[in-house]
Each structure stands twice: as structure tokens, then as C-alpha cells.
Amino acid sequence: MKLPRSSHALLALSLVTACSEPAQGPPAEEVLLMRERAAAWFGEDRFEDARRELAPLVAGDDALAEDLLRAAQVEFAANQADAAGAFLDRATDGAGDDPTLPFLRGQLHREAGEIEAAITSLERAHELAPGCLATRLALGAAYDDWDRSEDAEVCYQAVVDAGIENAGSWYVSAVYRLGRLLIEDGRVDEGQRYTAMRQTLEAEGIPVPVESILRLGNFGRMLPPPPTGEAAPATSANLTWTASALPESAGGPLVNVWARDLDGDARPDLLAQTAEGLSAWQNDPSAGWTETVAYEGSPDVVATFDADNDEDLDLFVAEGEAGRFILQGDEGWAQSEALKLNLPGKVHAATALDYDHDGDLDVLCVGDFGARLYRNDGADEPESGGAFNDASEAASLPTEGTWRWCTKEDFDSDQDVDILIGGPGELLLASSLRAGDPRAHRA
């Protein structure tokens, strides 16, 4: 849809700047405050106030590109296409590789019905910011407008593949758009799967974001300037960095490494995986880094959590069909045979969570066998019969299917832990009913 264009906002801004002092410009501290206030007004949709703050900064021919882009963001959000375009034209020479410029140009072209030009600009914005999912979504929408369905599908699928925990509202919109695209393309069964995923999200109170949010994306929204910090006093010594080599692991080259406070002393330690197993590198301020072997083997999945409630981190290691708990104690690391799990297959992902809200952590595993939830029933006292017991059926989780990832979060903001698992083309959100019984919605 082509938006009405008006130069009223540009005239208003010109009048404000014409009445201001044509001096050498405000001091740096005031410039920073102007930008911060403009961003605050923008966030409240008070665009006239944002214009007033930016007016002295964009008045002259020597205005900085970053301020001209801020002014363009204001006019774009206020649906003043001509004014936004004028600021973008002025910012072109100084914008460099700022993706804000091609993103806003692309959105303006698209709203004017100039789809080929929109695609060119949005492709440039994506090239400059390949990790921006909002820009990828906007590019997909432009491809969709131009009936380039295969390219649109690639863009939408990339956002969906990022997962809701990374893509947020962009994920929900991509699920909706991908389902619609596939149905329109005659691939009804595939499309209905994504439609069901969207309905699942909406049932949990996660709606498709409104068009105004999608329109602005990330680069159409004005953010406060980054903090500049304070310059070090002239008498301060120069800061230097000194390389500090870690001890070589006896297990050979690293396969993976995690920074964790393993011993609860508020200093980050390292957990390293090599071809031969897992090594814990303790960060001791007096002795330096000290290495101990925590596990010998080739784990498929490693998760760190306090399995026995003693205020340090233990390890859950899934290797093949064995799930092992490596407990950390005063004498180092020890495998608990009493807590060992017989898994139904290879684990693709695992996470610890207190699903039954009883104060200790349980373990969720997913793989080609579906999902398994192992409830912590007194694992801190295995000698008294404490164990991790399979509670998957009681938790109403699927014990079949292929699942590749899992995460936990309070998705519905009701102060309990929900579970989200995903696999090829499938999504399951299990919302906790606070009785150890998640309500599962499968798409």
C-alpha cells in the first residue's frame, strides 16, 4: 500500500531550525543529551518532541550522518515518507556501512510499490547485517510481494530455524508468513503444520506482532546512543593486556569449552571437552588454573547443574544410551552409579529445570526417542534410595518423534517453568500447571 506523502513535517523541522542560533553547535554533552531525549520521545511515539530535540543537530550542511538517520527514523515512524527520504538523501555520503540507510530505503520503496528497488535495498541491508532477523524477515516479505516464493521461503525459514528463544516476535511472524506462503504455493500439508504452530503460540498468549512493529524492524527504531564512558585521567597508567596461557589438557585438542562457576566461589572456571573426556579447570587466584579430569569418554551432550543441592555444579553426561551424573565433592569428581540412567537412545539436547517446583533440579532430555523428563527424587541422598525417576508420562511429554533442541522459560509469565522443544518442522510448548503436570500443545 502506498502511504500518503507530505512535506509538512520537513517544513516544521525547517522552521524550528531556522529559529535556532546559527552558532558553532551545542557542546558534546548537550548533543548526547539531545540524542537520548530524542530516543526517549521516539519510544513513546511522541515524534514532534523527537523532531524538536534533533532539529539543532540536523540544521546545517555539516550535520552528521548518524543524526540524519535518526531524523529519518522519526519521519518514517510518523509515516512522513518524503521527509524521511530527504534525510536519507542527506545521510548517503556519510552513512558508510550503516544498515539503517538501506533498510529504511527498502521499506520506503516497498510502501511506494517499488518492489524491485525495495529488494535491492533490503538485500544490501541484509548483506551489512546478516544476523539481523528483522531485516531477513523484511527481505522475505519483499520477495513475497514480487512472487519470488522460493527466496521468500528461504528468508522465513532462516528466522524460524533461529528458534523463538533467539528470534522472539520475528519468529512468530515468520511462522505465520511461512505457513501462508506454503499454502498459497499448493503445499497445504506443510503450510498447515506451520499454521498449527502459530495457533499453539497464540493459545499461550504469544500473538503475531502487529504490522507497525514489523515495519520498523530493528533499524527503523531509534535507540539511545551508546554510553561514551569517561576518559581516563592524563596521569593514569596505560592499560596493557598480558597473555596468560592455560595448562595444556592431557586429553588433546579442545572439542568444546564452557565458562562456569563450578565451585561456587564467584570466579568463572572452565569445563573443557576433548576427544578423551571432560576436564575441569578451577580458577584459583593463588595457584592459578588447576586441571582435574571429571569424566573419561566421548559424551554426546553435557549439562552443568547442581544435581545434589550442595551449592556447586555437577555434570550430567549423555553418551549413547547411558546418562551419567558426575558429582563434585570435597575429593573431586566422582560418578554416581546409583543415579545412572538407562536412556532410550542418543540424546540431542538436555537441560536442567525444576519442573515440579519442589526446590531441586530435574533433567529434560530430547532425541530421536521423543522427550524424557527425569524427576529428581532425593538425588542428594542416593544411598537412601534417592534417584532420577522417569516422569515423562506424568508430565504429558511425547515419548516418540524426533526432537533436536529444548529450552525452558516462563513463556506465559505466570511465575512457573514452561518447556519448549523443537524438531524438524515440529514445535511443542508444555505450559506448567504448577503440579508437575505441564499442559502440552503440539504443532
Side-chain angles (χ1 to χ4, degrees), residues 224-242:
T228 57
E230 295 184 4
T235 56
S236 296
N238 292 329
L239 294 177
T240 58
W241 296 94
T242 302

Side-chain angles (χ1 to χ4, degrees), residues 355 372-375 377 388-397 436:
Y355 102 100
R372 294 292 188 277
L373 185 59
Y374 297 98
R375 185 180 58 229
D377 293 329
F388 283 87
N389 294 312
D390 191 342
S392 309
E393 184 176 350
S396 302
L397 292 176

Side-chain angles (χ1 to χ4, degrees), residues 155-210:
C155 289
Y156 295 154
Q157 189 66 60
V159 179
V160 171
D161 288 345
I164 193 171
E165 71 275 18
N166 296 311
S169 59
W170 314 127
Y171 172 91
V172 183
S173 181
V175 166
Y176 165 73
R177 290 169 181 264
L178 184 54
R180 177 184 52 76
L181 177 70
L182 293 171
I183 291 173
E184 291 177 353
D185 202 36
R187 296 151 64 185
V188 177
D189 290 343
E190 292 180 66
Q192 286 180 340
R193 176 181 293 175
Y194 288 100
T195 299
M197 290 169 64
R198 175 179 60 82
Q199 291 170 344
T200 295
L201 294 167
E202 289 184 342
E204 291 301 318
I206 309 175
V208 176
V210 297

Side-chain angles (χ1 to χ4, degrees), residues 107-120:
Q107 294 293 70
L108 287 172
H109 283 309
R110 184 170 175 237
E111 292 176 353
E114 301 159 352
I115 307 303
E116 283 190 284
I119 289 173
T120 299

Side-chain angles (χ1 to χ4, degrees), residues 96-423:
D97 289 337
D98 190 329
T100 303
L101 180 70
F103 176 83
L104 289 177
R105 281 202 190 283
Q107 294 293 70
L108 287 172
H109 283 309
R110 184 170 175 237
E111 292 176 353
E114 301 159 352
I115 307 303
E116 283 190 284
I119 289 173
T120 299
S121 292
L122 291 172
E123 284 178 339
R124 175 58 177 162
H126 172 57
E127 178 186 345
L128 294 174
C132 178
L133 297 175
T135 300
R136 194 75 181 267
L137 190 61
L139 177 57
Y143 285 142
D144 207 348
D145 291 341
W146 204 239
D147 293 329
R148 289 173 57 176
S149 57
E150 290 185 5
D151 292 324
E153 181 180 347
V154 169
C155 289
Y156 295 154
Q157 189 66 60
V159 179
V160 171
D161 288 345
I164 193 171
E165 71 275 18
N166 296 311
S169 59
W170 314 127
Y171 172 91
V172 183
S173 181
V175 166
Y176 165 73
R177 290 169 181 264
L178 184 54
R180 177 184 52 76
L181 177 70
L182 293 171
I183 291 173
E184 291 177 353
D185 202 36
R187 296 151 64 185
V188 177
D189 290 343
E190 292 180 66
Q192 286 180 340
R193 176 181 293 175
Y194 288 100
T195 299
M197 290 169 64
R198 175 179 60 82
Q199 291 170 344
T200 295
L201 294 167
E202 289 184 342
E204 291 301 318
I206 309 175
V208 176
V210 297
E211 186 61 33
S212 60
I213 294 176
L214 299 172
R215 178 176 180 264
L216 294 182
N218 289 325
F219 298 121
R221 192 176 309 278
M222 192 196 309
L223 299 177
T228 57
E230 295 184 4
T235 56
S236 296
N238 292 329
L239 294 177
T240 58
W241 296 94
T242 302
S244 178
L246 295 174
E248 283 191 27
S249 174
L254 295 180
V255 175
N256 213 334
V257 65
W258 301 268
R260 300 285 190 272
D261 180 9
L262 297 174
D263 51 10
D265 64 354
R267 286 187 295 270
D269 308 301
L270 296 176
L271 179 67
Q273 179 179 356
T274 68
E276 297 186 5
L278 297 169
S279 292
W281 290 347
Q282 310 286 142
N283 183 0
D284 188 320
S286 57
W289 294 94
T290 57
E291 181 184 11
T292 56
V293 175
Y295 175 75
E296 294 181 352
S298 301
D300 303 312
V301 168
V302 178
T304 56
F305 72 106
D306 188 2
D308 52 4
N309 274 353
D310 63 350
E311 299 185 352
D312 58 24
L313 292 183
D314 308 300
L315 308 179
F316 171 71
V317 174
E319 183 175 358
E321 296 184 355
R324 298 181 173 88
F325 292 89
I326 317 300
L327 304 181
Q328 184 180 183
D330 295 336
E331 303 301 320
W333 301 87
Q335 185 176 156
S336 173
E337 289 297 328
L339 298 179
K340 183 178 177 181
L341 299 177
N342 292 318
L343 301 169
K346 179 180 177 180
V347 174
H348 292 304
T351 190
L353 70 160
D354 185 8
Y355 102 100
D356 51 1
H357 301 277
D358 65 348
D360 54 28
L361 291 174
D362 316 296
V363 177
L364 172 67
C365 298
V366 299
D368 293 340
F369 49 79
R372 294 292 188 277
L373 185 59
Y374 297 98
R375 185 180 58 229
N376 187 335
D377 293 329
D380 55 335
E381 297 182 349
E383 67 280 359
S384 301
F388 283 87
N389 294 312
D390 191 342
S392 309
E393 184 176 350
S396 302
L397 292 176
T399 55
E400 58 182 18
T402 299
W403 304 96
R404 291 287 184 260
W405 55 267
C406 59
T407 189
K408 77 272 189 182
E409 182 60 77
D410 183 11
F411 290 104
D412 48 9
S413 301
D414 63 351
Q415 307 303 309
D416 57 25
V417 180
D418 308 310
I419 298 169
L420 184 67
I421 63 177

